[in-house]
Amino acid sequence: MTGHEPNLELWPVGNCQVSGLIDPQAGLVWGCVPRVDGDPIFCELLSGERRGEGVWRFELDGQVSATQEYVRNTPILVTRLEAADGSAVEISDFCPRFERSGRMYRPVAWSRIVRPVAGTPRLKVVLKPMRGYGSELAATTHGTNHIRYLVGDQALRLSTDAPVGYVLEERCYRVESDQHFFLGPDEPFSGNLRAEVRHMEEQTRKYWQLWVRGLATPFEWQDEVIRCAITLKLCQHEETGAIVAALTTSIPEAPGSQRNWDYRFCWIRDSYYTVQALNRLGALDVLEKYLAYLRNIVDNAKGGQIQPLYSVMGEGELDEGVAANLAGYRGMGPVRVGNAAYKQIQHDCYGQIVLPTVQGFFDRRLLRMADDRDFAALEQVGEMAWAMHDQPDAGLWEFRTRQEVHTYSAVMSWAACDRLANAAKHLGKPGRAALWCERAAAIRAKIDAEAWVGEGAEGHYGASFESDYLDASLLQMVELRYLAPDDPRFVSTFAMVERELRRGEHMLRYAHEDDFGAPETAFNICTFWLIDALARCERKEEGRALFEAMLGHMTRSGLLSEDMDFETGELWGNFPQTYSLVGVINCAALLSQSWNMIR
């Protein structure tokens, strides 16, 4: 049962420090240390034909089936493996996360519990972490009840009550009682392993279920929204507050396309959409931690240019290279490490810093509300938005070989000035409010003059000031409050975007050729933007039907990647993609019937 071709039917586990992706056969096939952007010690997902290395798998003798589900409202995964003779085991996977000693316990660790649930199961443990992006297997040393794996500059220790010799030699053995595995820091395991790991499992369950209990979910599609919310939280590196775009690198956007990117970094744009969606559910803890991350980014910029992305630690230089020892997803390399997009100019980032930060001046639920000093720092970001609103950039789609004045970037600059005016009014600063209102009006005039293509009802906004092509980001003009949904200019723009970019149940981000040729897959967030526009433009039933169709494409874990083949429905691109999960949450909130339906 282990020779299957890799696919994106993967189940994330994590604790906001480390994460892992579990495949349909209970194999931990992707996981990095000491954090999401670190060395993937579990890298079988990208190893091509080199199977059985960079993986942690439990192989049941005679296995014929596997089923999986999360413990309700948690990222604790239970996989049931069944053999032809009726024997079966259940494997519980989780990364510990709960409050202990006055702080959050979230170690660099994966915990796994194997429970025999039927017959006399025989099991083989395959645990082969690697180092150096798949360059070699981790060297090992061992003791009576543990195995040490040297995974670079650090070591991880497997503490277990399973027979260590069987694990080292990959021998098949009978499992007659529950077995506990804790792969974590290289230090002696404190306390009774069985009792402590079970306690961790229970406390982790309680933490997540209480977190979910505080979400303000829509009436319909609650399970889907909850799963997306949990996974978005797993994409936050809690130490700093950064939110990564995805947990993986180099899953191609389309087969053999070379569009393979490392998404294990914090994009200002993606994070803006993530906190916006979670804020709608009331998950203020993610917003608060991210605002702290943004304040550090703003401070370090010192009023100058802000990059489109940073590392989870706030590092700016993310030099892009290739992991030569990893063949790539289904052998479709290259596997990239780092992302050269950090060098790009993307002016939309200024608006995407201002918009979430402004909430800090208004939301009285926050533990730390923003003050005059924060406003002064935020005005520096606004100054950059004002200075750059009509200057060319790479745009939100990160074109690598050309620059234009992109309409979306200009609208985001307008939004930055508009929201700063709101904050200034709230803080009792009429002079500053007037200044930012004046600048917002000037940017609006510029956009309406330069981005409008054609005449009257036949006209529409273009994707840039220099050309008349279209892209799906134009649909965001309503969400950003630049236009009302019944504004004739939006109605005509929406009609043109739908005509040019819609492919049945899917939406392209753009149809023209870019640095790598014409796009071959739909961009999932753009399909959700289409659904959003349909709902706002009195086509709500059509939007509901399209939304249900998108939910039908989700993995069994209830998630989506970045891209989708608009003919076959196969998922492509990095996984799980925060953009796509944001789309599920936002559209569910917009389309759902009211809770009053049950009253």
Side-chain angles (χ1 to χ4, degrees):
M1 299 290 289
T2 61
H4 64 286
E5 184 177 53
N7 58 55
L8 295 183
E9 282 293 345
L10 301 168
W11 301 70
V13 296
N15 61 7
C16 303
Q17 173 66 40
V18 292
S19 56
L21 297 178
I22 312 293
D23 76 3
Q25 309 301 320
L28 177 52
V29 297
W30 184 258
C32 305
V33 295
R35 55 182 184 259
V36 64
D37 60 354
D39 189 0
I41 63 171
F42 299 113
C43 54
E44 189 187 66
L45 180 66
L46 300 185
S47 65
E49 296 181 356
R50 283 174 55 199
R51 310 307 305 283
E53 296 180 346
V55 68
W56 186 1
R57 192 181 298 282
F58 297 101
E59 297 181 1
L60 180 64
D61 189 29
Q63 182 185 329
V64 294
S65 68
T67 56
Q68 292 172 297
E69 64 178 355
Y70 282 116
V71 174
R72 190 175 77 89
N73 293 353
T74 79
I76 301 173
L77 176 65
V78 178
T79 305
R80 182 184 177 97
L81 305 179
E82 297 187 354
D85 65 2
S87 60
V89 296
E90 285 187 349
I91 301 161
S92 292
D93 277 291
F94 67 98
C95 295
R97 178 178 173 82
F98 52 90
E99 189 171 327
R100 187 171 78 174
S101 301
R103 59 189 177 88
M104 192 60 65
Y105 177 65
R106 44 176 172 76
V108 179
W110 293 269
S111 297
R112 314 192 78 176
I113 303 175
V114 177
R115 295 181 170 98
V117 292
T120 55
R122 291 177 55 79
L123 201 69
K124 179 168 70 174
V125 183
V126 178
L127 177 49
K128 290 185 174 180
M130 305 196 79
R131 55 186 288 177
Y133 279 85
S135 62
E136 60 181 342
L137 287 170
T140 65
T141 62
H142 65 277
T144 305
N145 297 304
H146 75 270
I147 306 172
R148 295 176 69 247
Y149 296 90
L150 306 179
V151 289
D153 295 333
Q154 61 181 311
L156 292 178
R157 178 184 296 231
L158 175 71
S159 299
T160 182
D161 51 14
V164 167
Y166 289 162
V167 176
L168 284 168
E169 298 179 16
E170 295 184 14
R171 289 185 179 273
C172 194
Y173 64 96
R174 181 183 288 196
V175 180
E176 297 183 331
S177 61
D178 294 0
Q179 297 187 342
H180 306 79
F181 300 80
F182 182 86
L183 181 65
D186 183 25
E187 55 193 37
F189 193 92
S190 177
N192 179 281
L193 180 73
R194 175 189 178 93
E196 286 298 319
V197 172
R198 288 190 172 196
H199 177 72
M200 291 178 186
E201 180 185 32
E202 176 63 14
Q203 291 299 107
T204 299
R205 180 190 65 79
K206 286 182 178 180
Y207 168 82
W208 285 105
Q209 291 182 342
L210 285 173
W211 185 81
V212 167
R213 186 169 175 261
L215 298 180
T217 59
F219 174 63
E220 296 182 89
W221 305 295
Q222 291 181 59
D223 289 340
E224 292 86 350
V225 168
I226 288 169
R227 182 53 49 199
C228 290
I230 288 172
T231 307
L232 287 178
K233 184 169 174 64
L234 290 181
C235 289
Q236 182 167 58
H237 184 67
E238 189 169 68
E239 180 181 0
T240 62
I243 301 169
V244 297
L247 300 179
T248 57
T249 177
S250 303
I251 308 296
E253 293 182 14
S257 64
Q258 301 288 301
R259 299 175 188 261
N260 299 14
W261 314 114
D262 192 347
Y263 274 13
R264 301 170 300 159
F265 305 112
C266 183
W267 268 259
I268 302 299
R269 175 173 50 253
D270 298 49
S271 299
Y272 154 69
Y273 281 110
T274 297
V275 297
Q276 177 198 53
L278 288 177
N279 185 52
R280 285 173 172 159
L281 299 177
L284 287 183
D285 59 329
V286 176
L287 172 66
E288 285 183 312
K289 291 181 176 66
Y290 179 62
L291 290 182
Y293 179 81
L294 278 186
R295 285 192 289 269
N296 281 309
I297 294 297
V298 171
D299 287 350
N300 291 335
K302 295 181 171 58
Q305 178 186 323
I306 291 175
Q307 297 177 189
L309 69 154
Y310 295 84
S311 80
V312 296
M313 300 303 294
E315 172 61 40
E317 293 187 12
L318 307 173
D319 293 334
E320 188 174 296
V322 172
N325 294 293
L326 292 174
Y329 181 73
R330 300 184 186 173
M332 299 176 188
V335 172
R336 291 191 170 94
V337 181
N339 198 308
Y342 82 89
K343 299 178 181 179
Q344 291 186 354
I345 306 298
Q346 295 178 31
H347 298 319
D348 56 322
C349 67
Y350 303 112
Q352 288 143 2
I353 288 176
V354 171
L355 266 62
T357 304
V358 160
Q359 182 172 340
F361 299 104
F362 294 88
D363 195 334
R364 303 199 64 81
R365 297 171 297 170
L366 295 171
L367 294 174
R368 180 199 182 278
M369 293 192 66
D371 56 22
D372 287 351
R373 291 170 299 176
D374 296 309
F375 183 75
L378 199 59
E379 281 196 300
Q380 296 181 37
V381 180
E383 292 289 350
M384 288 298 294
W386 166 245
M388 298 299 168
H389 74 271
D390 59 353
Q391 298 301 303
D393 69 356
L396 81 162
W397 308 125
E398 300 184 343
F399 298 121
R400 293 197 169 199
T401 58
R402 69 173 188 271
Q403 292 192 344
E404 295 177 328
V405 181
H406 289 93
T407 304
Y408 176 84
S409 296
V411 171
M412 268 296 178
S413 294
W414 167 84
C417 296
D418 178 73
R419 305 315 193 264
L420 278 168
N422 292 343
K425 292 174 187 175
H426 180 73
L427 293 172
K429 300 177 183 293
R432 305 309 296 170
L435 173 69
W436 290 112
C437 280
E438 179 183 334
R439 289 178 171 180
I443 295 175
R444 178 183 284 276
K446 187 78 171 181
I447 294 169
D448 290 347
E450 300 293 337
W452 188 257
V453 179
E455 299 292 335
E458 299 301 316
H460 62 85
Y461 287 98
S464 76
F465 288 11
E466 292 89 344
S467 55
D468 61 357
Y469 75 92
L470 296 154
D471 79 32
S473 70
L474 295 167
L475 300 181
Q476 286 287 282
M477 298 176 94
V478 169
E479 171 65 33
L480 293 169
R481 303 204 305 269
Y482 186 85
L483 296 174
D486 58 353
D487 188 310
R489 294 171 297 174
F490 180 74
V491 172
S492 61
T493 299
F494 179 24
M496 286 294 293
V497 169
E498 187 175 13
R499 188 180 77 184
E500 296 295 322
L501 302 183
R502 185 170 179 176
R503 300 292 185 271
E505 297 177 343
H506 307 281
M507 179 72 88
L508 304 180
R509 48 187 163 176
Y510 46 81
H512 65 287
E513 290 193 1
D514 60 15
D515 314 335
F516 293 82
E520 301 172 64
T521 51
F523 206 64
N524 290 329
I525 186 58
C526 296
T527 302
F528 288 116
W529 288 349
L530 168 63
I531 295 167
D532 183 286
L534 291 171
R536 295 175 189 269
C537 294
E538 300 184 357
R539 296 165 64 184
K540 194 167 185 177
E541 289 308 310
E542 187 178 350
R544 284 179 66 93
L546 189 54
F547 183 58
E548 291 283 6
M550 282 298 290
L551 296 182
H553 291 296
M554 299 174 90
T555 62
R556 286 187 287 274
S557 59
L559 304 171
L560 287 167
S561 63
E562 181 182 42
D563 307 274
M564 190 182 302
D565 187 311
F566 51 79
E567 294 182 352
T568 68
E570 183 174 8
L571 295 176
W572 291 90
N574 283 305
F575 179 89
Q577 169 72 336
T578 53
Y579 256 163
S580 302
L581 307 186
V582 162
V584 173
I585 292 172
N586 289 344
C587 289
L590 188 63
L591 294 168
S592 175
Q593 298 181 68
S594 169
W595 278 94
N596 290 330
M597 294 293 295
I598 62 172
R599 293 173 183 165

